[in-house]
Amino acid sequence: MTPDYRTQHKKRLSWMPWLYFSLKDKHLAWARPWQQEVQAHFSAVETVRFGDNCFVAPESELFAEPGRDIVTGKQCMIAAGCFLHGPITLGNEVAINHGCSFDGGAQGIVIGDQTRIANNVTIYAFNHGMAPNQAIYKQKSHSCGVRIGKDVWIGAQAGIVDGVTIGDHAVIGMGCIVSKDVPDWAIVVGNPMRIVGDRREKPELALFPPQG
């Protein structure tokens, strides 16, 4: 019995989607039509629009009712095991790795260009009421939205709560709970979160010259 290498290769791409963008032409010959089919299915059954040259794992779960759209820029990737419920807007070259869970609430999640999000990150752009005279599940939710800038790196298993804005070029450490705004360039860790550095002071890692 001949091993089913192509099925295994598709699974590998679903869980490590950055590999899609370095495929050789002989693999793109089957991978590109496969991706077109996957994305066409999501766009047919949900209010989802993909930019050019994206990768979306068929094992991801995308839900987007009219008015709660999911929209991506070009060359984005969404890995296997992700749950995304709109409204969500991704810029160009945004990476969402496996097992992430995002819900845009009423006001939405907006993620800027070239932001990279590691596995099992949670972002919830709404909160329940907590008045003591009624069960929480019966209370109305409220939503402020979540805004994440460009070129942000969010580490594995981080959590981001409603109402937060994360500035451009920030780094969020693994397991960090982001409960308040994060300035541009800041490096934050922990729960409760705290600022521990500035990317502009990390010359061995910096991609941009110091400013200010």
Side-chain angles (χ1 to χ4, degrees), residues 1-167:
M1 180 176 175
T2 303
D4 187 356
Y5 290 115
R6 182 166 296 178
T7 295
Q8 184 64 15
H9 203 158
K10 288 179 178 179
K11 184 184 295 186
R12 176 178 282 104
L13 293 172
S14 287
W15 290 90
M16 297 181 284
W18 58 90
L19 298 174
Y20 178 77
F21 300 101
S22 59
L23 288 177
K24 296 179 179 179
D25 288 344
K26 66 178 181 180
H27 296 302
L28 280 174
W30 58 261
R32 188 176 284 124
W34 168 57
Q35 269 301 295
Q36 290 169 345
E37 181 180 349
V38 170
Q39 293 171 41
H41 167 74
F42 279 122
S43 296
V45 298
E46 298 288 341
T47 311
V48 180
R49 300 192 303 276
F50 299 104
D52 293 339
N53 195 32
C54 289
F55 181 93
V56 183
E59 301 89 348
S60 61
E61 304 292 348
L62 276 56
F63 300 101
E65 304 84 6
R68 298 182 66 105
D69 302 17
I70 295 174
V71 180
T72 84
K74 64 183 181 182
Q75 205 165 320
C76 293
M77 64 186 201
I78 300 171
C82 287
F83 163 82
L84 272 63
H85 184 206
I88 297 172
T89 302
L90 308 182
N92 298 320
E93 300 176 54
V94 174
I96 302 173
N97 281 281
H98 64 270
C100 289
S101 183
F102 300 172
D103 194 305
Q107 296 301 315
I109 297 167
V110 177
I111 301 174
D113 294 349
Q114 298 183 322
T115 285
R116 319 302 275 183
I117 300 176
N119 65 289
N120 296 103
V121 169
T122 57
I123 306 175
Y124 280 82
F126 70 94
N127 243 319
H128 285 288
M130 294 184 286
N133 60 345
Q134 189 179 34
I136 285 178
Y137 82 93
K138 293 184 178 180
Q139 298 185 41
K140 290 183 178 180
S141 62
H142 54 85
S143 174
C144 297
V146 172
R147 302 292 180 268
I148 299 172
K150 63 184 180 182
D151 182 41
V152 174
W153 177 18
I154 300 177
Q157 300 179 337
I160 300 169
V161 304
D162 185 39
V164 161
T165 295
I166 297 176

